[in-house]
Amino acid sequence: MPETAYVSTAIPYVNAKPHLGFALEIVQADAIARYLRLRGYDTFFMTGADENSLKNVRAAEVEGISTRELCDRNSEAFRQLLPGLDISADYFIRTSSEMHFRGAQELWSMCRPEDMYKKHYTGMYCVGCEEFYTSKEAPDGICPEHQRELESVEEENYFFRLSNYQAALLELIESDRLKILPEARRNETLAFIRGGLQDFSISRSRQRAGDWGIPVPNDPDQVMYVWYDALANYVTGLGLGDDDPAFKKYWWDCPVKTHVIGKGINRFHTVYWPAMLLSAGIPTPDTVFIHGYLTIEGQKISKSLGNVIDPLVQVEQYGVDPVRYYLLRAVSPYADGDYSEDRFRDIYNADLANNLGNLARRVETLAEKAGYAPPPPSAAPDAPEAFHEAMAEYRFNEALAALWNSADALNQRIEEVRPWDLQKQGDTDALLAFLEEMVQGIRVIAHWVEPFMPCSASKLQASFGGGPIKRGEALFPRLP
Ligand SMILES: [Zn+2]
């Protein structure tokens, strides 16, 4: 039985359309999942939508439709990213589903009773936001969003005793049993924990939540705070609460559990979430990989700047693989990155059209002329060591650089050997030996580029997989 692996993205709010920043995350997670499958892991890859936010209730009210209708419509826009970006997800979870409700309630019930307590508290509340603000967030008692005066509201909520887990969390992270990548994010988490952990609220009154959300077990006047509920998706999607064998297989017994998230939600995933799991007696994730933010032409993505790019429009224009390639190659996985149209076209032409695409074309042309028909490979070729080293730490850009070094070397060999001369001289033995070398080299790239550009990989595999080689269509037509 192969070992299992689990990969997830964060689940975005569905109150806005998906933009290129989320495309980055889902493509990164897809590359990880596909890589693990290539390495022989039986891999479960999950993404989805966070639907229990109060923001959805308010957005639906503005539009005059039900919250359910709004969620159905907006979640569909996110689900469309799966075929559009060639994402190999096994499941798309929606947190308004009954299955998720059952699972989140099961998780709540599994947490140690001494870790949860009900507390009266008085807070400064904005009716517009339907959120509490601390005196730090709103020092003058004015809502930073609405510029209106906050009301003093008294409410009784459940709290989670995070303070019980300070030592356990430190041990988990310092020992790398919970690995946080990159190092800077790991340090951020460690500093936060060492600074002392405060208990956090995990419920809202049902009324204040707009009657939308997951009822707390045995206390139907309270619904789960949206973060408790959203984090639970990582296990409810595997059927926790339904005795689904997938939960045991891909979480409980699984040695490779990876969350891919953005830097803004680090604390939720590396502090709150593992503490919730420790309390419930459930194994914690193995790795949390945290990417930076994407800017567009050097500017923050924002509706008011009008620079929100729909990833599917880019795919329409350039094809899915070039968009995936840019996100994985041109954006540093560990830092903030930028999307620029000029840079996209430069990289497309340099790396795809002129390098890999041209290499495949040249070898196809030579092989067709020579009538070369290699036997199919007897085993999957292995990648350069640098490739696997980079992928072990999700340095996608460096993994691709390792493959492109191989492509450079093959192109260089063509210039050195000058196979067209061998053809003219009728030196068939030398020519066939050279073509064999080329085909072996291209097969390595075709096999290991699959996690990044699945469609191009399968075209290369079809062309160089064995049997007569024909000059096909250009893999990446040059952009003007
Ligand atoms: Zn407000």
Side-chain angles (χ1 to χ4, degrees):
M1 287 261 281
E3 282 199 326
T4 59
Y6 170 95
V7 181
S8 70
T9 69
I11 51 171
Y13 289 137
V14 295
N15 60 333
K17 285 265 166 69
H19 59 61
L20 209 55
F22 185 64
L24 170 71
E25 177 165 317
I26 201 168
V27 165
Q28 287 176 332
D30 188 56
I32 296 171
R34 287 177 182 273
Y35 174 73
L36 288 167
R37 292 191 193 106
L38 274 188
R39 296 298 303 258
Y41 286 89
D42 173 357
T43 304
F44 192 93
F45 171 26
M46 197 164 86
T47 183
D50 181 359
E51 301 186 346
N52 293 330
S53 164
L54 208 53
K55 288 179 183 150
N56 292 332
V57 180
R58 281 201 300 269
E61 274 167 10
V62 169
E63 291 194 44
I65 57 175
S66 71
T67 313
R68 164 68 54 196
E69 249 177 287
L70 180 109
C71 287
D72 285 349
R73 186 193 65 200
N74 290 8
S75 282
E76 189 51 31
F78 281 86
R79 196 201 291 269
Q80 284 306 317
L81 288 181
L82 272 50
L85 289 168
D86 214 345
I87 302 300
S88 64
D90 296 288
Y91 188 58
F92 184 93
I93 186 167
R94 296 183 54 186
T95 59
S96 67
S97 65
E98 284 175 21
M99 178 192 176
H100 175 71
F101 272 44
R102 286 193 298 276
Q105 288 173 331
E106 174 74 10
L107 180 67
W108 183 290
S109 304
M110 286 171 82
C111 285
R112 299 191 312 169
E114 58 267 42
D115 290 335
M116 287 151 124
Y117 62 96
K118 224 170 175 181
K119 185 173 91 172
H120 262 290
Y121 75 104
T122 310
M124 298 306 284
Y125 190 77
C126 171
V127 184
C129 300
E130 300 192 52
E131 289 285 356
F132 285 98
Y133 283 95
T134 63
S135 55
K136 211 173 170 184
E137 291 162 332
D140 46 5
I142 305 287
C143 170
E145 283 291 318
H146 292 90
Q147 313 303 326
R148 77 164 93 167
E149 215 168 309
L150 299 172
E151 290 172 27
S152 174
V153 167
E154 202 189 328
E155 192 168 291
E156 195 181 32
N157 291 149
Y158 287 95
F159 279 74
F160 183 85
R161 225 180 277 281
L162 190 60
S163 45
N164 279 349
Y165 291 94
Q166 173 135 356
L169 287 170
L170 269 184
E171 200 277 323
L172 196 63
I173 295 164
E174 283 173 342
S175 69
D176 273 344
R177 280 195 295 128
L178 172 58
K179 195 170 166 188
I180 301 171
L181 287 170
E183 182 82 18
R185 301 285 160 227
R186 179 178 184 267
N187 293 339
E188 193 179 276
T189 296
L190 286 170
F192 177 73
I193 298 171
R194 289 183 186 126
L197 296 176
Q198 306 290 318
D199 297 350
F200 67 103
S201 162
I202 50 173
S203 76
R204 293 280 180 270
S205 83
R206 164 177 286 286
Q207 189 205 351
R208 215 168 286 293
D211 200 24
W212 183 252
I214 305 178
V216 167
N218 305 316
D219 197 344
D221 287 340
Q222 296 273 315
V223 299
M224 293 180 198
Y225 176 47
V226 69
W227 265 108
Y228 187 96
D229 143 15
L231 288 166
N233 96 84
Y234 298 123
V235 288
T236 67
L238 292 168
L240 172 77
D242 284 350
D243 286 328
D244 191 323
F247 173 63
K248 186 174 186 318
K249 184 175 175 185
Y250 295 109
W251 191 279
W252 200 283
D253 293 340
C254 175
V256 184
K257 298 183 288 293
T258 301
H259 296 311
V260 178
I261 62 165
K263 64 181 184 180
I265 53 177
N266 178 0
R267 192 175 297 173
F268 291 97
H269 285 80
T270 60
V271 181
Y272 297 0
W273 173 232
M276 286 158 57
L277 290 168
L278 287 170
S279 178
I282 294 174
T284 48
D286 301 283
T287 305
V288 179
F289 164 66
I290 305 172
H291 62 78
Y293 287 153
L294 196 64
T295 53
I296 304 288
E297 310 286 351
Q299 285 185 305
K300 204 178 150 207
I301 299 177
S302 98
K303 256 190 212 164
S304 53
L305 285 173
N307 66 350
V308 180
I309 291 183
D310 180 343
L312 298 185
V313 170
Q314 296 305 107
V315 166
E316 185 93 6
Q317 187 173 358
Y318 297 113
V320 59
D321 279 356
V323 172
R324 289 176 62 112
Y325 183 82
Y326 184 94
L327 293 173
L328 294 164
R329 177 70 194 260
V331 175
S332 162
Y334 284 6
D336 291 342
D338 186 53
Y339 183 89
S340 119
E341 202 74 24
D342 283 346
R343 190 152 168 250
F344 183 97
R345 300 174 78 88
D346 286 349
I347 287 178
Y348 177 103
N349 279 334
D351 291 6
L352 301 181
N354 297 350
N355 193 333
L356 181 60
N358 192 41
L359 171 67
R361 207 84 200 285
R362 290 168 96 182
V363 176
E364 282 172 356
T365 307
L366 288 161
E368 187 179 68
K369 259 195 192 165
Y372 179 58
S378 51
D382 204 4
E385 201 44 50
F387 175 84
H388 293 305
E389 280 170 16
M391 283 308 284
E393 292 177 337
Y394 311 131
R395 287 180 276 114
F396 311 104
N397 51 347
E398 291 174 29
L400 281 166
L403 290 185
W404 258 252
N405 283 342
S406 303
D408 284 340
L410 292 171
N411 273 317
Q412 213 179 326
R413 281 287 288 156
I414 297 180
E415 298 306 322
E416 284 164 14
V417 173
R418 304 177 57 83
W420 46 89
D421 287 347
L422 299 177
Q423 213 146 32
K424 259 185 249 162
Q425 294 152 13
D427 192 347
T428 313
D429 285 352
L431 181 63
L432 292 183
F434 176 73
L435 284 170
E436 189 188 339
E437 177 194 338
M438 287 292 114
V439 169
Q440 300 297 352
I442 291 175
R443 280 176 178 173
V444 172
I445 298 169
H447 186 80
W448 293 102
V449 83
E450 191 271 346
F452 310 89
M453 300 198 292
C455 179
S456 307
S458 77
K459 283 183 188 165
L460 286 169
Q461 286 164 21
S463 187
F464 297 96
I469 295 174
K470 297 228 155 15
R471 185 173 189 265
E473 278 175 32
L475 203 50
F476 305 104
R478 231 189 115 77
L479 293 173

